[in-house]
Amino acid sequence: MADGLNMNRQLLVSTLINYAGRNHGATEIISTDSSGNTFRSNWSLIAERSQRLSSALASEGVKQGDRVGTIAWNDYRHLEAYYGICGMGAVLHTINPRLHDSQIAYIINHAEDQVVLIDPDFLEVAERIAHLVPSVRLWVVLGDEAPKSSVAVKYVCYETWIDEKREVLIWPELDEWAAATLCYTSGTTGNPKGVSQSHRAIVLQSWATCTGDGHNVNSGQSILLAVPMFHVNGWAIPFAAAMAGAKLVLPGANLDAGALVEHIRSEEVTFSAGVPTIWLSVVQYLERTGRDVPSLKQIAVGGSAAPSSLIDILEDKYGVSVSHVWGMTEMTQGSAGRFTHRVERLEREEQRKRQSMAGREIYGVELSLIDSEGQEVDRDGQTPGELLARGPWVAGSYFRHDDDSTHLESGDGSWLRTGDVATINDEGYITIVDRAKDVIKSGGEWISSIDLENAAIAAPSVTEAAVIGLPHDRWGERPLLLVVLHNEAELSQEEILDVMKPQVPSWWLPNDIVAIDQIPHTGTGKIDKKVLRTQFADHSWSAAI
Ligand code: AMP
């Protein structure tokens, strides 16, 4: 007998919402809009309304495989868009509203979006770029009303549009390999690249997200989605939540620490996910106000390196178990942060060491390291190499992008070149040394800007730190540390260096420390080192420490 005898059922996004609507219909989806109003929906309503959205899209001529853009916050209408667009076989293209107009226009044109669903908060973007994006024939305003259409921009109001009497579209039995989503990388070098996930990949990665070693998304959780739904499909959590039938809290535009803590307390949130900056601000808020978050049992933090001091205070003072993970647009979650049975029983200090790393290899995303000659590097936790990844939900290529340097063909198949420099230890834990382009090369050796930032942030006067490499006559490149200080603090290089010294090799210590008012961030909350490098291009080492 050659094949197994299972049924041939396709892994489709529509099966997730169908399941949630049928079995967890009353489980709530809570959203807050830009005026601070709360709307309580549930999986049954989301399922029904997303089907009506599909029907409206079909009547507009949107066909299977066509791309439909969203420029929206985390709210229930965006969630309906996730399912309504994918359900009918169109491709959900989430667009980051924090990008520059020219980048938004670039990716809409590259994706050839036919229709864009847009939050009223971003109508000015539509007004500014509509003439640059000829493929978009309709802008659907995600609200109760829409502005009058002009020659340049044709608007309809989402609520009226999906309400018009139409037959509910029965979602087609698609091929599971069909594209479901399209998400562009941040594009910190060159133009953003499009990552397209198939229905199959979305269902598989959602399953991984629901496992205990993933994010443990299950029907017992109330989840606050503090990751924008335009960033890596909200780390697949909007899909995993339907697979599990979990309660979902969507905070809308306001990601201030006070608002997030309010959501956690009022909706008895048990799990949340977000980038380190979000959790740093939440911890600062809790410390300042003396409030706590008793329902919150577990968070996932990733997207950039989480400082150990942040993890420690969340674990030790607020009783939140922290899963520090690594991932990227090209695969969503790429590592597991949960302690194994053995590590769970180790001294806290041993656990801390592991938590400061970026998680360990998770089933489904195979990792490997290579040196500059393309030879495999040992998993000794010491020797850095370029991190490669492959697996059923890792991008095999980019959308309409011919450059083959993004992947490596080896004797045993194709690997994605992640652009990260990392080490892997014998337990499978990865440590992200740096982005290949951010690592500082001093006297032929590498200095990790991430480690220096983490060391600096442990200084009591420092709220945020960024390290960039600048040219140096003797060493080639040396680190410059830029810090944002607490309100009343004055810059003391000595104080900061004293805190850093026990944490990093002495030759890594920055040659200069400069206080700045704020650190620029990219649209996805990462430190924008490109901007800092330009800003400090003329920095002189003459006053160096
Ligand atoms: P993005 O595609 O915008 O999510 O960016 C992915 C990149 O973020 C990765 O290639 C890493 O450089 C970085 N990143 C993600 N998670 C971590 C982490 N836990 N520690 C350090 N860097 C991370």
Side-chain angles (χ1 to χ4, degrees), residues 297-317:
K297 296 285 171 277
Q298 182 203 347
I299 63 160
V301 57
S304 47
S308 303
S309 51
L310 170 70
I311 299 174
D312 288 350
I313 193 166
L314 281 162
E315 287 265 349
D316 302 338
K317 180 157 180 193

Side-chain angles (χ1 to χ4, degrees), residues 239-474:
F239 295 119
M243 177 178 268
K247 172 175 169 177
L248 205 48
V249 183
L250 302 171
N254 188 357
L255 293 182
D256 286 353
L260 295 180
V261 169
E262 210 45 62
H263 291 309
I264 294 171
R265 293 173 65 96
S266 61
E267 300 304 333
E268 294 180 272
V269 166
T270 54
F271 167 68
S272 184
V275 291
T277 327
I278 292 274
W279 299 115
L280 281 167
S281 70
V282 165
V283 164
Q284 279 161 13
Y285 172 86
L286 294 175
E287 293 288 283
R288 203 171 56 241
T289 57
R291 302 185 86 187
D292 60 2
V293 281
S295 63
L296 190 64
K297 296 285 171 277
Q298 182 203 347
I299 63 160
V301 57
S304 47
S308 303
S309 51
L310 170 70
I311 299 174
D312 288 350
I313 193 166
L314 281 162
E315 287 265 349
D316 302 338
K317 180 157 180 193
Y318 294 101
V320 180
S321 121
V322 179
S323 172
H324 182 194
V325 289
W326 166 88
M328 49 194 314
T329 308
E330 285 80 345
M331 77 203 60
T332 318
Q333 184 176 0
S335 71
R338 168 180 283 251
F339 294 148
T340 60
H341 185 267
R342 189 179 70 81
V343 174
E344 193 71 64
R345 280 152 187 80
L346 296 178
E347 297 283 312
R348 183 75 195 109
E349 208 41 50
E350 281 298 313
Q351 297 181 340
R352 263 192 247 282
K353 272 192 217 155
R354 287 162 177 83
Q355 265 177 322
S356 68
M357 303 184 217
R360 59 190 161 74
E361 189 169 302
I362 186 171
Y363 175 79
V365 179
E366 217 181 314
L367 300 173
S368 178
L369 292 177
I370 50 162
D371 63 19
S372 50
E373 259 86 65
Q375 296 303 312
E376 203 173 337
V377 169
D378 284 347
R379 294 183 166 225
D380 59 7
Q382 306 278 332
T383 322
E386 184 185 345
L387 186 63
L388 307 178
R390 68 177 178 189
W393 58 88
V394 177
S397 60
Y398 292 91
F399 182 58
R400 294 179 171 166
H401 187 86
D402 294 332
D403 175 5
D404 54 11
S405 68
T406 59
H407 286 72
L408 188 92
E409 301 307 322
S410 72
D412 65 346
S414 177
W415 294 84
L416 170 80
R417 305 181 74 140
T418 66
D420 285 335
V421 175
T423 61
I424 305 182
N425 73 12
D426 56 1
E427 291 177 1
Y429 273 97
I430 58 175
T431 300
I432 304 297
V433 175
D434 229 324
R435 288 296 288 165
K437 61 185 181 349
D438 291 338
V439 77
I440 298 154
K441 289 163 204 106
S442 171
E445 300 277 352
W446 282 352
I447 298 178
S448 159
S449 65
I450 297 182
D451 282 1
L452 285 178
E453 285 156 12
N454 283 345
I457 205 144
S461 61
V462 174
T463 54
E464 205 181 356
V467 171
I468 52 171
L470 290 182
H472 189 279
D473 287 345
R474 177 156 179 218

Side-chain angles (χ1 to χ4, degrees), residues 121-308:
D121 282 357
F122 305 119
L123 286 176
E124 282 180 9
V125 177
E127 291 292 329
R128 288 197 302 265
I129 67 165
H131 69 286
L132 301 172
V133 289
S135 64
V136 180
R137 51 177 185 270
L138 188 66
W139 296 80
V140 181
V141 182
L142 294 164
D144 296 315
E145 49 190 37
K148 257 206 161 100
S149 301
S150 63
V151 183
V153 203
K154 185 177 169 204
Y155 292 117
V156 292
C157 156
Y158 178 82
E159 290 300 331
T160 335
W161 197 52
I162 66 163
D163 236 14
E164 278 167 17
K165 247 199 151 9
R166 312 171 198 274
E167 279 174 38
V168 168
L169 191 86
I170 306 297
W171 282 328
E173 263 293 317
L174 304 164
D175 180 335
E176 65 184 19
W177 284 96
T181 65
L182 180 62
C183 200
Y184 282 75
T185 58
S186 324
T188 40
T189 46
N191 278 325
K193 296 195 283 291
V195 174
S196 179
Q197 296 279 2
S198 66
H199 284 257
R200 178 178 191 268
I202 294 281
V203 171
L204 291 176
Q205 69 187 248
S206 301
W207 243 317
T209 305
C210 290
T211 61
D213 273 359
H215 293 325
N216 193 21
V217 168
N218 63 64
S219 58
Q221 304 272 28
S222 166
I223 302 172
L224 171 66
L225 191 65
V227 192
M229 288 167 72
F230 54 76
H231 185 214
V232 200
N233 296 330
W235 297 4
I237 292 169
F239 295 119
M243 177 178 268
K247 172 175 169 177
L248 205 48
V249 183
L250 302 171
N254 188 357
L255 293 182
D256 286 353
L260 295 180
V261 169
E262 210 45 62
H263 291 309
I264 294 171
R265 293 173 65 96
S266 61
E267 300 304 333
E268 294 180 272
V269 166
T270 54
F271 167 68
S272 184
V275 291
T277 327
I278 292 274
W279 299 115
L280 281 167
S281 70
V282 165
V283 164
Q284 279 161 13
Y285 172 86
L286 294 175
E287 293 288 283
R288 203 171 56 241
T289 57
R291 302 185 86 187
D292 60 2
V293 281
S295 63
L296 190 64
K297 296 285 171 277
Q298 182 203 347
I299 63 160
V301 57
S304 47
S308 303

Side-chain angles (χ1 to χ4, degrees), residues 67-70 85 91-95 107-108 111 113 182-184:
R67 271 77 60 200
V68 175
T70 62
I85 296 169
V91 181
L92 166 75
H93 171 205
T94 47
I95 300 165
I107 62 175
I108 291 180
D113 291 333
L182 180 62
C183 200
Y184 282 75

